[in-house]
Amino acid sequence: MCGISGILSLDGKPIKNLKNKIHLMTKLLHHRGPDQEGMFIAAKNNFGLSNNRLSIVSPKEFIDLPFTKNKNEFLSFNGEIYNYLEIKENLKTKGVNFRTSTDTEVLYEFLKYYKLQNFEKINGMWSFAFFNEQKNELLLSRDLLGERHLFYTIQNNQLIFSSEVKPIISVTENIDEIDFESLITSWKFTSSAPGKTLIKNIYRLKPGTNLHYKKGIIKVNQFQKLHPEKWFDFFKADPDTNKVEKKFEEIFSKELERRLPNDVSYFTALSGGIDSSILAYFISKIEKNNIKTIFGISSNDQTQKINQYTSELDSSYYVANKLNLDHSHIHLNSDNAIKDLKFAASNCFDGCIDSGVANFSGLSKHLKKMNSKVMLFSEGPDEFLGGYESDVDAHKIDKIMGPSKTLRFLNLLSKTNYGKKLLSKLFNLKKNIEFEFSYNPFYTRVNHLVSPNTFLNTIIENYDDSQLFDYGVLDPSYEFLKSEMDFSQIRALNYASKSLPDMFNLRLDKAFMQYSIEARLPWQSVELAEFMIAMPNKFRFENDYGKLFLRNYVSKKIDQSISNRPKKGMGTYLWNNKNIYRGLNFEETISNSDFFNSFPFKKNIKNILLDPKTHHANKWTAYTLIKTFENLREINKKKKLD
């Protein structure tokens, strides 16, 4: 994993202080690539590019950064190409020669040979910049599941881009401001909308998308889409469970083996739940010895029994013992977490304000102390297979109130507060109690909706609660599939194309790269994602449970006691700890801030936020926005002085 950054003059004129700006951006990304760094400044001083390297593949091998073999074409690369050995052998048969053992060189030669096309041949995660000095041509690219991120702005005839937003803010000549629309989206969903950030006029490249500059013209195009439809015939044939399991094992084994690091030490997160247990199970079939797994304790209830089930911590050790894993645990909710929480709160320029960033930062910090460079994580199955309570709720509503159901008239009840309470009780809903959904147009409640319209109405002037927000709406490029999919499949595709790339994966990237650890997500291989998205309802839901297919699989292959465990994540709010909460000074920060005066909030917003009945999550949100606003103000002040 690495960091990339660069500045391109769109009118060809020299860029003032270009070298100093590129140097500053490189310095601000040092944590993303502490092993090696390098810069390139074009002869005409109209383009600068840098690359920070965290060496995972061939870590002892030093390479030119940004990578070049002809001093004309330059590659700044952040990510991993998992099938680089196959691509390398294929390119060799076409006469391409290689100097290094890195996947960076393979990507470089691939881009040259295929003339910036055929990205579907690459199995990996990436954001990269590829520049041809002679043609003055630049390509920026981001992978389909959005495991890696790339932010950019176009200001004063310059295209400025980076792996993070702060380096961009630090070198722009304009005074940057917070975008209020993005602020609302982040407050509601813990992340700004796909394609946007918290800062006006700074954008993020959408997943599966290229930004191409050539002959003075910028074009942004989607180069790749998910294709769950290629599995529709397989599932329409009504295969038995054994056939589906065999296909799942075939795909997952192949994709996981590609993602296991060969040259550096790694850990795997093991919570004792379904997804992480299956991941550990598959790793144990490939790696026979010294498989290191870890559990992060973020709240005391993770060490306590849940009804008839053992605690999460005990469950993780139970699975580890069954699979012969080298398991350990750490406490994330100590007073030391205050520093990471304050850092996370002050650096939400990208729009991700989720407090779970600090939880994962704690794991990252520990792994660095253990001289590890990679963490395997199980993000994905909940989104693909209806693992969240909100998705189980939605399925219950679909079965009774969906467009083709005889009781669809009950939708009328969902328009009133009394009706919502009645329906919530009738369906035994856990999360979908606000009924923020619709079938026409299709809009669904995603799991990371943390602040409902009812609350936002109380703090924001003229809040439009009829507005559809991006995260609940299927991307238009997939509209052609809607008529062939059931509602659970549509929700899975929606999660895969928006929530995973632009909330959950961003959260992990921020957290783990803070301490130079690469997060790998085996469940998010394109082929596996397409397979699971295509699974119909009967593989997802049973009674009050989601992820039915994986529950049955873990019961058969690992242990039945794991299969029915209530879902508990590793990301419990660290500020639930009283000492941590006091150390953050939420109330004092909110009371003394002038932040709210700059935006159309209601005049009594501070009273609402400081009300003991207000959920602490809304106080955390206000705290992060205040701290990021203050940080932005300091950066702007420094720019004025410079």
Side-chain angles (χ1 to χ4, degrees), residues 301-408:
D301 62 4
Q302 291 173 298
T303 65
Q304 297 168 359
K305 187 175 180 180
I306 309 172
N307 300 324
Q308 73 269 33
Y309 301 101
T310 60
S311 71
E312 286 184 89
L313 179 62
D314 289 340
S315 179
S316 70
Y317 275 99
Y318 178 71
V319 172
N321 288 334
K322 288 204 72 168
L323 301 179
N324 193 31
L325 311 173
D326 181 6
H327 191 53
S328 59
H329 69 275
I330 61 170
H331 288 269
L332 302 172
N333 58 340
S334 68
D335 292 352
N336 294 329
I338 294 175
K339 180 181 177 182
D340 283 336
L341 280 162
K342 287 183 175 180
F343 181 85
S346 300
N347 290 275
C348 296
F349 307 115
D350 50 29
C352 180
I353 63 173
D354 192 281
S355 65
V357 169
N359 299 55
F360 300 125
S361 293
L363 282 171
S364 174
K365 189 191 306 183
H366 177 74
L367 264 62
K368 187 166 187 175
K369 291 178 182 177
M370 301 297 289
N371 296 315
S372 181
K373 283 192 170 184
V374 174
M375 176 75 155
L376 269 63
F377 215 81
S378 295
E379 208 76 81
D382 285 309
E383 289 77 16
F384 298 143
L385 293 178
Y388 295 117
E389 286 182 336
S390 56
D391 300 315
V392 175
D393 282 357
H395 177 60
K396 292 178 183 178
I397 296 170
D398 292 342
K399 288 193 300 180
I400 298 174
M401 294 168 50
S404 62
K405 305 302 180 183
T406 56
L407 296 181
R408 62 184 182 277

Side-chain angles (χ1 to χ4, degrees), residues 117-300:
Q117 301 293 325
N118 295 346
F119 288 92
E120 70 281 354
K121 295 180 181 290
I122 305 175
N123 185 334
M125 56 175 180
W126 70 81
S127 65
F128 67 74
F130 187 74
F131 181 69
N132 184 308
E133 185 174 19
Q134 183 179 358
K135 296 179 179 179
N136 194 33
E137 180 181 4
L138 175 68
L139 179 73
L140 305 180
S141 184
R142 184 183 177 201
D143 67 273
L144 181 57
L145 269 296
E147 292 186 53
R148 304 278 65 84
H149 301 80
L150 189 56
F151 304 93
Y152 69 95
T153 188
I154 299 173
Q155 298 181 22
N156 303 322
N157 270 324
Q158 294 177 9
L159 169 65
I160 308 172
F161 58 90
S162 178
S163 297
E164 296 180 5
V165 176
K166 187 175 181 179
I168 297 175
I169 297 171
S170 300
V171 300
T172 54
E173 295 175 6
N174 299 347
I175 299 302
D176 293 292
E177 300 176 358
I178 286 178
D179 183 320
F180 187 66
E181 184 179 316
S182 289
L183 181 154
I184 296 174
T185 307
S186 293
W187 201 313
K188 187 176 178 67
F189 295 104
T190 71
S191 192
S192 296
K196 300 192 74 174
T197 71
L198 202 59
I199 309 301
K200 284 182 181 178
N201 301 318
I202 297 183
Y203 309 97
R204 59 178 138 180
L205 204 59
K206 289 187 176 182
T209 299
N210 287 337
L211 185 154
H212 191 193
Y213 172 82
K214 186 177 182 181
K215 296 180 179 179
I217 298 173
I218 291 177
K219 291 183 179 179
V220 178
N221 71 289
Q222 187 175 9
F223 65 81
Q224 190 177 7
K225 291 198 290 264
L226 290 161
H227 290 285
E229 69 272 16
K230 70 186 185 183
W231 292 104
F232 286 175
D233 288 342
F234 174 83
F235 286 108
K236 283 178 182 175
D238 197 24
D240 62 29
T241 302
N242 289 334
K243 188 172 183 179
V244 178
E245 286 180 355
K246 185 176 179 182
K247 184 58 67 176
F248 165 70
E249 290 172 339
E250 176 187 318
I251 298 170
F252 197 29
S253 295
K254 178 183 68 176
E255 295 297 332
L256 174 60
E257 190 161 9
R258 282 173 165 163
R259 284 160 174 76
L260 293 180
N262 294 316
D263 301 329
V264 298
S265 170
Y266 71 94
F267 275 77
T268 301
L270 178 61
S271 68
I274 293 169
D275 309 336
S276 63
S277 295
I278 293 175
L279 175 58
Y281 168 77
F282 273 84
I283 293 174
S284 71
K285 298 295 182 184
I286 300 169
E287 307 262 42
K288 300 301 181 183
N289 299 305
N290 198 29
I291 302 170
K292 297 176 182 177
T293 55
I294 191 165
F295 181 89
I297 300 173
S298 53
S299 64
N300 293 333

